[in-house]
Amino acid sequence: MADNYIDLPLHNLPGSRIFGFLVGALIYAAVTLLSIAAISDTIVRYFESQPALLTVALPPALPTPEALAQTDKIVDLLRDVEGVVFVSALEPQRTRRLIDPLVGGSDIGLAVPRLLDIGFSAGNKLELAAIKDQLLELTPGLALGDTVMPGGEILPLASSSRMLSLIGGGASLVLTFIATGLAIGIAMARHADSVGLLRQMGATDGYIARQFEHYALVQGLKGAAFGFALGAATMATGLLIFGATTTQTITTFGLQPLDWVFLALIPALVGLLIVPVARLVAHWQLRSLEA
């Protein structure tokens, strides 16, 4: 018997195409979910790289050279605090414009708070309470505003989305190989008589198993290619629509070139792993038939 001759009409089985469509659906789910995970990871890394903001009001003082010099000294001290990314002092003129509506624009000499914007490295999980105590030690009498964490409510949502999408995408890939094993088992059971006849004609188990491997590879690759194409088209269309309907830049939170390369490797990975899965199941089924 020539090894390249297919004796079993596996591709003509009733419902044989269901295996290909099932693989396609699972790969579509994997591509879509892993794309969402990649986008969520980009969002998480972006916001974790942004500093947390804290506004500090120094004790009120007239904008005299002495007060300005004191403010500069405090700014220099704050820049040496561990975890501080930047310190910027609000100019007295801008502070004045903020309080003008409160005093009716009266041209009177007022001692106004000196405002400082302090940025902390948010990705390092700093103890902001300890930093606030350190600031109070440096400058008694200052008032601390609320800490503005980068990302707000988006960051926890993106973190959860990344984790759940990774789990869902990985589960879809695992289910692909489980579906392969089930498909081979069903095909072997339906061709039990034909397999027995081939054995009587001298066919080896390796020869018979290769036919089931070929069936799994062809149907699996067709389904994987279709699922990847549909999943990639879905994500690309969604990103284009998002970019066209929002003012946020899509290049920041979209899929990067390396993400697309990784997604394109999924059909190849399925093709590489479907064959050994089909081989193992086929040999196991053949040993069962012997018993």
Side-chain angles (χ1 to χ4, degrees), residues 154-204:
I154 298 178
L155 187 56
L157 179 62
S159 298
S160 300
S161 174
R162 178 178 61 179
M163 180 183 66
L164 294 176
S165 298
L166 280 174
I167 294 174
S172 297
L173 292 177
V174 172
L175 287 174
T176 300
F177 303 119
I178 293 176
T180 300
L182 292 175
I184 295 302
I186 293 173
M188 184 75 73
R190 290 188 175 182
H191 286 81
D193 293 339
S194 299
V195 169
L197 181 61
L198 286 175
R199 278 176 164 171
Q200 293 177 8
M201 296 172 61
T204 64

Side-chain angles (χ1 to χ4, degrees), residues 25-94:
L26 290 170
I27 295 302
Y28 171 80
V31 169
T32 303
L33 289 171
L34 292 176
S35 298
I36 295 173
I39 295 173
S40 300
D41 181 67
T42 301
I43 295 173
V44 170
R45 288 187 288 108
Y46 171 79
F47 282 115
E48 285 187 346
S49 67
Q50 302 302 304
L53 299 178
L54 174 64
T55 299
V56 175
L58 301 178
L62 293 172
T64 61
E66 292 78 10
L68 295 177
Q70 183 189 31
T71 301
D72 292 338
K73 182 179 179 180
I74 294 172
V75 168
D76 292 336
L77 290 173
L78 291 174
R79 285 173 178 162
D80 293 332
V81 175
E82 183 180 0
V84 171
V85 178
F86 68 85
V87 180
S88 62
L90 194 66
E91 297 177 356
Q93 295 82 358
R94 295 182 61 188

Side-chain angles (χ1 to χ4, degrees), residues 5-278:
Y5 184 79
I6 303 300
D7 294 296
L8 300 174
L10 299 175
H11 298 283
N12 296 326
L13 270 175
S16 64
R17 294 175 182 262
I18 294 178
F19 169 58
F21 285 119
L22 180 59
V23 171
L26 290 170
I27 295 302
Y28 171 80
V31 169
T32 303
L33 289 171
L34 292 176
S35 298
I36 295 173
I39 295 173
S40 300
D41 181 67
T42 301
I43 295 173
V44 170
R45 288 187 288 108
Y46 171 79
F47 282 115
E48 285 187 346
S49 67
Q50 302 302 304
L53 299 178
L54 174 64
T55 299
V56 175
L58 301 178
L62 293 172
T64 61
E66 292 78 10
L68 295 177
Q70 183 189 31
T71 301
D72 292 338
K73 182 179 179 180
I74 294 172
V75 168
D76 292 336
L77 290 173
L78 291 174
R79 285 173 178 162
D80 293 332
V81 175
E82 183 180 0
V84 171
V85 178
F86 68 85
V87 180
S88 62
L90 194 66
E91 297 177 356
Q93 295 82 358
R94 295 182 61 188
T95 306
R96 178 70 192 196
R97 285 198 295 269
L98 291 175
I99 66 171
D100 274 347
L102 302 177
V103 297
S106 302
D107 188 13
I108 58 176
L110 289 177
V112 297
R114 293 163 290 170
L115 302 180
L116 304 178
D117 287 331
I118 306 176
F120 302 99
S121 179
N124 293 333
K125 310 301 181 185
L126 296 174
E127 292 292 337
L128 291 177
I131 293 178
K132 289 180 179 180
D133 293 339
Q134 195 171 2
L135 294 177
L136 287 171
E137 290 179 3
L138 288 172
T139 313
L142 60 78
L144 301 173
D146 293 331
T147 302
V148 179
M149 299 298 295
E153 298 178 354
I154 298 178
L155 187 56
L157 179 62
S159 298
S160 300
S161 174
R162 178 178 61 179
M163 180 183 66
L164 294 176
S165 298
L166 280 174
I167 294 174
S172 297
L173 292 177
V174 172
L175 287 174
T176 300
F177 303 119
I178 293 176
T180 300
L182 292 175
I184 295 302
I186 293 173
M188 184 75 73
R190 290 188 175 182
H191 286 81
D193 293 339
S194 299
V195 169
L197 181 61
L198 286 175
R199 278 176 164 171
Q200 293 177 8
M201 296 172 61
T204 64
D205 285 355
Y207 172 80
I208 297 173
R210 280 195 294 274
Q211 299 188 55
F212 289 93
E213 293 172 20
H214 180 269
Y215 162 72
L217 180 63
V218 172
Q219 294 295 329
L221 282 181
K222 285 181 179 178
F226 176 76
F228 167 75
L230 187 60
T234 299
M235 293 307 303
T237 302
L239 291 173
L240 288 175
I241 293 175
F242 178 83
T245 56
T246 64
T247 57
Q248 298 182 12
T249 173
I250 197 62
T251 56
T252 302
F253 302 129
L255 290 171
Q256 304 303 313
L258 284 179
D259 296 329
W260 288 110
V261 172
F262 170 75
L263 294 174
L265 291 176
I266 291 179
L269 175 66
V270 171
L272 286 174
L273 295 181
I274 269 183
V275 171
V277 169

